[in-house]
Amino acid sequence: MIRFRILGGLDLRNGEGIEVRSVLAQPQRVGLLTCLALAGETGFVRRDTLMGRLWPDSPQVRARHSLNQALYGLRRSLGRDTVVSRGDEEVCLDPASLWCDARAFETALLAGRDEEALELHRGELLPGFFLPDAPDFEAWLEEYRGRVRMGAASAAWRLSEEAEGHGHTAAAISWARRAMALSGDEETGARKLLRLFHRAGDRAAAVATYEALVRRLRADPGVEPSPETQSLFEEIRGPRPDPGPPRPASHVERHLPPGVGAAPLPRPGTPLVGREEEMIRLEGLLADSHARLVTLTGPGGVGKTRLAVELLHRRAETDPSASCFVPLAGAAGPELIPAAVAQTLGLSPGEMDPAAAVIRHLARRGGLLVLDNLDHLMDAAPFVSRLLDQAPDVRVVVTSREPLRLRGEWIMPLEGLGLPPEDQDGPEAGAGVEVGPAVRLFAEAARRMTGGFALDEENRPWVVRICRLVDGIPLAIELAASWIRSMPAEEIAREIEGSRSFLVRSFRDGPERHRSLEATFDRSWVLLGEPLRRILSRLAVFRGGLGRDAAEAVAGAGLEELAALVDKSLLRCLPGGRWELLEVVREFAGEKLAEDPEAEREALERHAFHFARLLEALGPGLTGPEKDDALARAAAEMDNIRTAWRTACRLRLLEALGGAVGPLFTVYDGRGWHREAEAAFREAVEALAPDVTEGRPDAPVEQAAPPTPDPRGGEVPPKGVVEGEDASTVSGRILARRGAALLRLGRGGEGECLLRRALELAKGAGDRREAAFVLDRLSLVAYEEGDFPRALEFQEEALELRRELDDPREVATSLNNLGSLHYAAGHHERARALCHECLSHQRRLGDRTGEVISLQNLGHIAMALGSPEEAERWLLESLAAARHLRHGVLTARSLLGLGTVANARGAPDEARRYLQPALARAMQIGAESLTVEGILGSAWALHHQRDDQGALELVGAVLSHPDVEPGARAAAEGLLHRLEGSFQLGEVETVLAAGRALGIRGAASRLAGPLPVG
C-alpha cells in the first residue's frame, strides 16, 4: 500500500517503501494528491473544484488540461488503479491503495481513539508547503490546518482530563502541555496546567507557567491575566519571596542551521537493575526547587551514566522536549563544553560565545540537562554556575568521580549494587541464599551470553562470591559474567581471586576506588589473548564511538574481532553500525596502550590519518547539493575529528593537517562554530611552524609520509621530513583558515594580517586554488571596510584563478560574491549579468540551495532596477524552490523579499500576507536578523495603510534592540524620519516608548500570530 504522510512533514512511499520522487518533485501534484486524500465522506472531488483550487488563473481549457496531466502523472507514479474516476466530472483515491496519516488521524478522532490520533499527529499539516498563484488552495489548506490543530488539541485535553481522573498527574500534565502548544486558548489552558502542577506539588513549574503566560499577554500593552487566573496563581504561590535585583538581559541567540535539531536521548540496551532507591532519591532531589544541581559521584563503572539516562527517559514520558543528554568523555578540554552542549541542543552560535548561546536558549526553554563524564573537565564549574544563575528553570545533573564543589550542589554518591549477607558466600552456603540486585544483574548478563543460564544450588554461592569480589560494581559484574560461556562461575571467581597481584598498582583516583574493577579488567585482559588485546588497546584512541572502516584502519579489527569484544562486554554495539567503549574500559585499555610508546604513537597516527582522509572524502560534498548530509556525517564524528586534529598538531603530521584543513574549515563554517575553528587553527599554527607568521618559512617540519600497508592490518604511516617549502604551503593554508575564522568573529584586523601572509605563501608555492580562497576572504575584508574598488579587485582575481582551474562550483561562488559586490556598489546591470551566469552554473551543478540564493539576488536586483514585476517572478520561483528544500531560512528570506516588493507596489495587504508567515518562520528558527527585517517591512505596510502610530511603534521596537545590525538600524531611522511629520511635538517619544516596551519578540508575536507547529 502507498503511504502518504503530510502531518509534520511530507513523505510519499510506494508499497516497497521507496520514496516516490516523481510526485514529490512536482508541487502541483502534491497539492492535487493532498486534495484527493483529504476529500469528504464520499472521497470524490469534482474536477472543476480541483481546477479552481489549483489553477485559478488559467483558462478553463488549459486548467482542465493541466488537471488531466497531473492525474496522469499520479497514475503513472502510484499505479493506474490508485486514482478512480466517476463519470467525467469526479475523481477520488482508492482507499485500498493509499493510506494517508491525516485521514487516519481524523478517523481515529471520530472513533474516540484519541491516543492513536495523537501518535499520528507529528506536527502541522504540510508545514512550509506553498503553491504560488493558488490562493484558494492556500485558503483551503490553512483552514484544514486549523481543523487538524484544533482536533489534536481537543484530543490532548480529553486525555489530560482522563489521566487526571485516574490520578495520573504526570501524564495529565504531559497531555495538557501538548494541548496548550496546539490550542490558541492560552489562559484557560494555563489555568488547567497551574491546577495540575499544584496537585503534583511542583510549585516551580507552576510559577514558570504563570510567568510565561504573563509575558505572552503583555505583548499587547495593557493586557493582563484575568482575575480568576491571578487569584489561582496567588493561592498556589503563597507568600511572595523577595525577587532580588533584575537579571541583565542575555545576548542574541543565532538561528539554527537547516535540518539540525536536538540530539536524541541515548537508548540503553539493557534494563536498569537494582537502582530503585537511588532513582527515588534522585527524583526527589530534583523535585526540590533548591536542588538545581545534583552530582552523581562514584568510581568508574558503578552506573552513574546509566542512572542518569534512565532518569531522562522517565522524564521524557511526561515532557519529551525538556531533557538533554550531553556526553563529554570525548571533550578534550573544559573550553569545549559549551560547544558540545550547543551541538547537542542543535544550536549554531556563529560568532557568538557558545556559552552565551546555550544559556540564552536554556533560559527560555528550561528543562533537565545531564552533563555526563565531567570528571576530567573540572574547570567547567564556572560555566555550570553561570548557567544555573542565568537560566533559573534549568536543572543540571552531573556524572563525575568527584564533586564540582559549587554552592548549591547536592552530592549523591553511588556505590556498588546490593549484596547478600556475608554468611552466604562460597561453597558452604546453600540454596537459601538471597538474590539481591548484584546477583540479579550477573544472572541477567549471563543469560544474555548463553541464553540458558540460571541460578541454581551449585552456582549461586559462586555468583555471590564474584559479586562480592568486585564490590557490586555493575560494569565489573557484566565483565565477569561475559566469561560464563568459557568457564563456570566457580572458575570465574577463582580467576578474580587470583588477580590480587594486580591490585597493588595505584590508579588515577587512588587504589581503593578502582581496585575491584581493575582486578576484573586485568583478568579479562589476560584471558583475551594477544590479537584481541592489541585491538582493544588501539581502540582506546577513539572518542565518541567508531565505525567499521575506522576500526579496521586504526586497530586492524574486523567484524569477528568486534563481535568478540562485544561478547566480552568490553565493547558496546550502537545503532547504525557503530561501536563504543565504555569510558572506564577506554581508560584501562589506554593505559595498556601507553605501556608501549611505539604502539601508542602508531595507533594515534593511524587515527589522525583516517579522520583526515574522511574529511578529505567529505570535502566535495560539503560544498555541493549534498551539503547537509556531509555536514551531518562530519558532526557524527566530531569527537574523533577533534582528537585527530590535536594528534596531528602534537605529532606535527603535516600531510594529515594539509588534507584536513580545508574541509574542516568548511565544517566549522557550515555549523557556525567559528570560535572553535579559530582555536583549532591557532593550535596548528603554533604547533607546526611559528616561523611562518614571522616571514621565515624555511623551518623543516617533521612529516608522516603516505601510509604503507601493515601485515597486521590497517596502515602504518612512516615518519620522515619534508622540505621547508612544503611546510610553508600547508602552514599557509592553516593561516588562511584561522584568518577567515577571525573575520567571522568580527576581528577583521587580525584576520587580514594572517590572510595577507597566507596569500604570499600560496602565490609563492603556485597554489592557485588556495590563492583564490584567500583572495575571496580578502575581498570580504575590503567590503566590510567600505573599500569597494579593492573588494572588486580581489574578487575579480579570485574569479580569474577559478576559471583557469575550471572549477564550476568555485566559479559559481566567485560569481555570486562578485555580483553581490557590484550590487552593493550600485552597479546593478553588471550585478544582474553576474547573477544570471552564476544561476546557470548552479543549475548545471544541481546546487538547489545556491540556485535559491541566486534567484533571490536577481529579485533584489530587479527591484533596484525599478522592475517590481520581474522581482516578484524571481522571488516566487525562489520561494517555491526553498519550500521544496524545506529550508527555513531561505523560505523566510523569499517571503520577506516578496513583502518588500508588495510594499513597493503599494499593496500593503498583500505585503502583510507574505510578511506574517515570514515572521513566524524567522521566530521559529530563531533568526533575529530576519525577524527585524520582517518587522520593518510590516512597519512600511502599516505606513502605507495610514496607520502611522502602529508603524512608529514597530520602529521603536526595532531601535530598542541593542544588537540590531547597522543596516537595519539605518533603515529604521530612515522610516522614523519619514513618520515624525505625522505627529505632534512629544507624541513621537510616547509612541516610541510603547514600541520599546513591546520589544522585538513582542512585536513579532503580534504580527506573526502563533508559530507554526512541527
Side-chain angles (χ1 to χ4, degrees), residues 5-11 101-102 120-128 148 886 1013-1014:
R5 293 187 178 275
I6 51 178
L7 292 176
L10 174 60
D11 187 62
D101 59 351
L120 291 163
H121 187 268
R122 300 178 301 154
E124 185 181 63
L125 181 70
L126 281 180
V148 168
R886 302 178 193 174
V1013 178

Side-chain angles (χ1 to χ4, degrees), residues 660-899:
V661 61
L664 180 59
F665 172 78
T666 306
V667 170
Y668 279 138
D669 202 45
R671 290 295 187 193
W673 300 337
H674 305 309
R675 289 180 182 273
E676 185 179 339
E678 192 277 328
F681 299 133
R682 173 168 22 97
E683 180 182 11
V685 169
E686 292 170 353
L688 268 186
D691 298 340
V692 171
T693 59
E694 300 168 14
R696 298 196 305 276
D698 54 345
V701 178
E702 183 179 356
Q703 163 62 10
T708 56
D710 174 14
R712 294 173 297 174
E715 296 172 335
V716 180
K719 294 179 279 294
V721 176
V722 299
E723 297 297 327
E725 181 183 9
D726 293 332
S728 67
T729 299
V730 175
S731 298
R733 289 186 203 141
I734 296 169
L735 280 175
R737 270 68 187 180
R738 185 184 172 210
L742 286 167
L743 294 187
R744 294 292 199 191
L745 293 171
R747 293 158 63 184
E750 297 173 71
E752 184 177 5
C753 291
L754 296 181
L755 288 166
R756 288 189 174 279
R757 179 67 183 134
L759 184 60
E760 292 176 19
L761 293 169
K763 288 186 172 181
D767 190 343
R768 291 181 293 175
R769 189 177 303 279
E770 181 63 16
F773 171 84
V774 181
L775 286 163
D776 185 274
R777 289 331 192 253
L778 285 169
S779 174
L780 178 61
V781 174
Y783 168 74
E784 291 182 347
E785 292 174 351
D787 189 344
F788 287 109
R790 194 160 57 98
L792 289 168
E793 179 185 341
F794 283 135
Q795 196 59 246
E796 291 278 9
E797 187 177 351
L799 176 58
E800 183 180 348
L801 289 173
R802 285 166 170 168
R803 289 195 194 276
E804 291 173 6
L805 292 166
D806 194 24
D807 187 335
R809 197 173 300 283
E810 291 302 314
V811 167
T813 298
S814 276
L815 287 168
N816 178 74
N817 294 346
L818 196 56
S820 297
L821 286 170
H822 278 288
Y823 175 79
H827 311 151
H828 298 139
E829 291 289 358
R830 177 63 177 148
R832 178 157 63 179
L834 289 163
C835 285
H836 268 296
E837 186 181 355
C838 179
L839 180 62
S840 298
H841 277 277
Q842 285 159 342
R843 283 176 168 165
R844 284 197 296 273
L845 291 164
D847 183 357
R848 298 298 303 279
T849 301
E851 182 182 343
V852 174
I853 293 170
S854 288
L855 291 167
Q856 291 173 345
N857 290 342
L858 286 166
H860 296 312
I861 293 168
M863 276 297 295
L865 288 168
S867 301
E869 295 80 8
E870 180 189 350
E872 188 174 32
R873 288 197 301 272
W874 289 119
L875 289 167
L876 282 171
E877 189 176 352
S878 77
L879 178 61
R883 280 177 158 159
H884 179 71
L885 291 172
R886 302 178 193 174
H887 197 307
V889 172
L890 293 181
T891 298
R893 284 178 178 157
S894 293
L895 288 165
L896 289 170
L898 286 163

Side-chain angles (χ1 to χ4, degrees), residues 275 299-304 306 401 415-417 438 441-442 445 448 466 470-483 496 514 516-518 520-521 524 565 568-572 580-588:
R275 291 297 190 193
V302 80
K304 302 183 294 293
R306 183 65 184 84
R401 294 178 190 174
E415 299 177 349
L417 294 173
L441 178 62
F442 183 99
R448 290 198 302 273
I466 291 166
V470 299
D471 291 337
I473 294 177
L475 179 58
I477 291 172
E478 295 202 26
L479 287 172
S482 70
W483 293 103
I496 295 175
H514 277 279
S516 302
L517 186 56
E518 185 178 350
T520 309
F521 178 85
S524 295
L565 292 172
K568 297 175 186 351
S569 297
L570 295 167
L571 191 67
R572 185 161 55 190
E580 73 172 0
L581 275 74
L582 291 172
E583 182 61 16
V584 68
V585 173
R586 191 187 64 74
E587 289 177 8
F588 280 125

Side-chain angles (χ1 to χ4, degrees), residues 35 38 170 179 275 281 339 361 434 574 640 688 834 839 860:
C35 291
L38 300 181
R275 291 297 190 193
R281 185 183 170 203
H361 179 79
E434 295 180 12
L574 300 175
N640 279 311
L688 268 186
L834 289 163
L839 180 62
H860 296 312

Side-chain angles (χ1 to χ4, degrees), residues 541-565:
V541 301
F542 285 94
R543 297 292 187 276
L546 58 135
R548 179 179 173 182
D549 291 345
E552 178 68 38
V554 175
L559 280 176
E560 184 178 349
E561 290 82 6
L562 293 170
L565 292 172

Side-chain angles (χ1 to χ4, degrees), residues 4 44 54 177 361 465 511 641 660 828 899:
F4 185 38
F44 282 93
L54 298 168
R177 280 178 162 165
H361 179 79
R465 181 65 177 156
I641 288 170
H828 298 139

Side-chain angles (χ1 to χ4, degrees), residues 304-547:
K304 302 183 294 293
T305 297
R306 183 65 184 84
L307 183 63
V309 168
E310 184 71 17
L311 170 72
L312 286 174
H313 279 285
R314 293 190 184 189
R315 289 178 74 96
E317 292 175 1
T318 57
D319 190 355
S321 65
S323 297
C324 178
F325 178 85
V326 186
L328 294 168
E335 72 280 359
L336 293 178
I337 290 179
V341 179
Q343 180 179 347
T344 305
L345 290 170
L347 299 176
S348 178
E351 62 194 54
M352 183 183 179
D353 175 20
V358 166
I359 291 168
R360 166 81 174 186
H361 179 79
L362 291 176
R364 296 188 304 191
R365 164 182 158 171
L368 175 63
L369 179 69
V370 171
L371 301 177
D372 185 49
N373 275 307
L374 203 66
D375 32 13
H376 65 302
L377 303 165
M378 300 308 288
D379 289 342
F383 165 68
V384 177
S385 177
R386 180 182 165 198
L387 171 64
L388 291 167
D389 180 54
Q390 297 184 24
D393 293 333
V394 168
R395 301 275 196 280
V396 178
V397 171
V398 168
T399 71
S400 173
R401 294 178 190 174
E402 56 183 297
L404 296 182
R405 297 179 176 84
L406 289 173
R407 286 180 303 168
E409 178 183 25
W410 292 67
I411 301 167
M412 182 173 162
L414 283 190
E415 299 177 349
L417 294 173
L419 297 162
E422 294 247 5
D423 60 357
Q424 296 182 348
D425 270 9
E428 67 279 4
V433 175
E434 295 180 12
V435 177
V439 174
R440 284 207 320 272
L441 178 62
F442 183 99
E444 288 189 16
R447 274 196 293 275
R448 290 198 302 273
M449 294 295 110
T450 65
F453 179 84
L455 288 171
D456 56 30
E457 188 172 327
E458 183 179 350
N459 63 32
R460 183 183 287 113
W462 294 109
V463 171
V464 173
R465 181 65 177 156
I466 291 166
C467 294
R468 190 174 307 287
L469 285 169
V470 299
D471 291 337
I473 294 177
L475 179 58
I477 291 172
E478 295 202 26
L479 287 172
S482 70
W483 293 103
I484 200 69
R485 287 194 302 191
S486 306
M487 59 186 75
E490 178 181 356
E491 192 171 340
I492 295 172
R494 302 287 188 205
E495 289 284 354
I496 295 175
E497 286 176 325
S499 69
R500 288 297 175 182
S501 60
F502 293 103
L503 301 182
V504 297
R505 179 170 58 85
S506 175
F507 196 65
R508 183 167 72 102
D509 289 336
E512 293 301 320
R513 174 168 284 189
H514 277 279
R515 65 177 191 170
S516 302
L517 186 56
E518 185 178 350
T520 309
F521 178 85
D522 278 336
R523 201 61 200 149
S524 295
W525 178 262
V526 170
L527 294 170
L528 275 180
E530 176 54 31
L532 285 181
R533 286 202 295 268
R534 186 183 66 81
I535 287 171
L536 180 61
S537 66
R538 282 153 178 77
L539 292 179
V541 301
F542 285 94
R543 297 292 187 276
L546 58 135

